[in-house]
Amino acid sequence: MDQRVGPPGRGQRARVTDRLAYARSLLVRGADRLALPVVGAITLLVLGVVFYYPVWTVFVEAFGNAATPVREVLTSEFYMGAAHGLFADPIRVPGDVFAWLASVRLHVGWTGVLPDVWVSYPTVRKGLFGFTAYQAALSTAASVLLGLPGAYVLARFEFPGRRTLKSLTILPFVLPSIMVVVGFVATFGTSGTLNGVLTWLGVGQVEWLYTLKVVILAHAFYNAPLVTRMVTSAWENVDASAVETARSLGANPLRAFRDVVAPQLLPALGASAVLTFIFTFMTFPIVLALGGLQLATVEVWLYARVQSLDYESAAALAALETVFSLALTYVYLRYESRRAATGTGNPLPRKRLFSVAGDVRERLIRSGLGVYGVVVALVFLAPIASMVLASVGGATDPTLEWWRFLVERQGDSRTQPSVAVWNSLLFGVGALALALPMGVVIAAFSARGG
């Protein structure tokens, strides 16, 4: 019988097509599985070259030679202040503490018919690390005091531009540090805006430049919006029904806030305070420009050591600062891992900010917010406005001389402003091109690992 092989039928062609599609899908899946490890290995290599290896060399320099550089820092009174005894001679520490306590004296006097009580005690030397922690604590307190009322306004009041104002809380983080420095010099300098207003009012001038006050204020400029942003988010997630339940059980507004609202705000407040302390402990450009070496923090002194080619001391300072900041970062991350970030479907109702209705308490609150608005204008708006005003020669004698100067340098100078602008853009785009892919890869591995 004659058997002939004819062309494949429609069913056979479909099976072949399905097999090819299946093989193609296997190849794609295999390529996908292979691509992520390959890209991950490249990312790890880049991180090793640009981050891990430099950090490793710093730690080797700091802890090499039997950790001599670190030991010299820890046992130095200049660096550690009174705490150096914990590392130099820990056996003497309890005796030194008791001797200090014994030297504290309570004095009681009389001013007319009223008693006057004060305490005298020997000064405790802070050292470089102690002063850095001290200014960071003051900066954190100033940031919290300046940021909390802002969180209250954004979370509890409704007014035109509220969402825009909430979005602008991120603005200080994207402003260049040198711009903030110039703004603060233009505002609080000897011939600055503040002294000009005080002179016009007939009040004596203030000298704030190169003082701890202006450093703390500049830190608050950067970090108070962080406190505002985090606490506002927590405040907006408070369940209104819980507050209403407390009020129905007889709690007054203050008691309801203390028992229901405050416990839900404290974690966000604590987290923002920890982050602020980390940022201000590691501060560099603000202190260098507004404080100088007389108010040097660890970062500023580390820079001075590098300039003096004292790399061992610089490495020891960098290593100890890294360990300290990582410990605080761990505290913050522990909070983040435990916090329930779920929102509520029943937020607290907002009140109208610009309203004449209300009792005496409401009017006092709005009056206090008016004072807060003046403080915000002085701290946040005045430096930016003063910088812009100074660029045109001031309000009394405006001129475009300095802008003309930049244009002239662009035309006939070897140092052209456009080169600096181009370099800034180039560095920014280059950093983005390097960081964005690595961030995506790390996020992909993190999501797969989770």
Side-chain angles (χ1 to χ4, degrees):
M1 186 173 180
D2 189 11
Q3 295 181 349
R4 297 181 180 180
V5 179
R10 185 173 299 175
Q12 186 175 355
R13 284 198 302 269
R15 285 194 296 273
V16 171
T17 303
D18 291 342
R19 289 194 188 101
L20 289 174
Y22 179 69
R24 204 163 30 239
S25 67
L26 288 178
L27 288 174
V28 171
R29 267 185 269 176
D32 287 343
R33 289 187 186 135
L34 183 62
L36 189 58
V38 170
V39 175
I42 295 174
T43 300
L44 185 62
L45 178 63
V46 174
L47 284 175
V49 172
V50 302
F51 178 73
Y52 292 111
Y53 177 73
V55 172
W56 179 74
T57 57
V58 170
F59 275 86
V60 168
E61 190 75 24
F63 292 96
N65 299 323
T68 300
V70 170
R71 188 185 303 111
E72 289 179 353
V73 170
L74 293 176
T75 57
S76 168
E77 188 175 2
F78 171 78
Y79 288 116
M80 302 302 297
H84 82 286
L86 293 171
F87 308 96
D89 192 0
I91 297 177
R92 292 185 51 187
V93 171
D96 292 340
V97 172
F98 283 120
W100 185 86
L101 292 174
S103 64
V104 176
R105 294 288 183 270
L106 178 65
H107 304 273
V108 180
W110 293 90
T111 304
V113 295
L114 298 176
D116 188 10
V117 181
W118 72 95
V119 178
S120 63
Y121 48 86
T123 303
V124 178
R125 187 172 183 182
K126 300 181 185 70
L128 183 64
F129 275 89
F131 174 76
T132 304
Y134 173 69
Q135 66 83 26
L138 293 178
S139 300
T140 301
S143 300
V144 169
L145 290 175
L146 194 59
L148 269 182
Y152 174 68
V153 172
L154 292 176
R156 300 294 293 115
F157 290 95
E158 190 65 55
F159 53 91
R162 189 188 70 85
R163 292 186 178 180
T164 302
L165 186 60
K166 184 178 178 181
S167 301
L168 289 177
T169 55
I170 200 66
L171 184 61
F173 292 98
V174 299
L175 291 178
S177 299
I178 193 63
M179 173 181 169
V180 176
V181 168
V182 172
F184 270 77
V185 171
T187 303
F188 301 103
T190 304
S191 303
T193 305
L194 179 61
N195 279 327
V197 172
L198 293 178
T199 302
W200 180 74
L201 294 174
V203 183
Q205 293 188 348
V206 294
E207 295 292 337
W208 274 21
L209 278 188
Y210 308 110
T211 65
L212 187 58
K213 296 175 184 176
V214 75
V215 171
I216 292 172
L217 205 60
H219 285 161
F221 175 92
Y222 267 112
N223 296 288
L226 172 67
V227 177
T228 298
R229 195 173 186 84
M230 294 183 69
V231 177
T232 298
S233 298
W235 215 323
E236 290 176 338
N237 287 330
V238 173
D239 192 355
S241 61
V243 178
E244 293 170 0
T245 301
R247 293 298 306 276
S248 66
L249 293 175
N252 57 34
L254 182 60
R255 179 71 180 272
F257 176 82
R258 188 190 69 185
D259 294 343
V260 179
V261 179
Q264 300 183 57
L265 301 184
L266 286 178
L269 180 60
S272 61
V274 170
L275 282 180
T276 299
F277 188 88
I278 293 173
F279 294 153
T280 52
F281 186 89
M282 302 181 69
T283 184
F284 173 68
I286 295 295
V287 175
L288 182 64
L290 296 178
L293 288 179
Q294 65 269 23
L295 295 174
T297 58
V298 175
E299 286 271 326
V300 173
W301 194 255
L302 192 158
Y303 168 77
R305 292 297 87 205
V306 172
Q307 294 294 104
S308 301
L309 304 181
D310 185 4
Y311 296 121
E312 287 191 348
S313 296
L317 291 173
L320 291 173
E321 185 185 35
T322 301
V323 170
F324 182 76
S325 62
L326 287 178
L328 290 176
T329 304
Y330 173 76
V331 173
Y332 168 74
L333 293 177
R334 290 280 292 181
Y335 154 77
E336 282 292 330
S337 64
R338 294 182 179 182
R339 185 176 63 135
T342 56
T344 176
N346 186 26
L348 292 169
R350 298 189 185 95
K351 308 172 186 177
R352 292 180 58 188
L353 180 60
F354 304 108
S355 174
V356 295
D359 54 13
V360 176
R361 175 177 169 272
E362 292 291 333
R363 293 176 183 175
L364 287 176
I365 290 175
R366 285 179 170 81
S367 299
L369 293 179
V371 175
Y372 173 70
V374 174
V375 175
V376 167
L378 178 63
V379 176
F380 293 102
L381 300 182
I384 298 176
S386 298
M387 178 187 63
V388 175
L389 196 61
S391 70
V392 294
T396 57
D397 189 18
T399 177
L400 295 177
E401 177 183 355
W402 311 116
W403 292 92
R404 190 182 306 113
F405 173 74
L406 291 177
V407 175
E408 292 173 354
R409 288 187 68 88
Q410 178 63 31
D412 57 7
S413 174
R414 301 176 66 181
T415 307
Q416 299 179 348
S418 63
V419 176
V421 175
W422 171 252
N423 287 339
S424 299
L425 293 174
L426 184 64
F427 297 153
V429 172
L432 177 64
L434 185 64
L436 184 60
M438 291 195 299
V440 172
V441 172
I442 294 173
F445 273 104
S446 300
R448 177 171 292 190

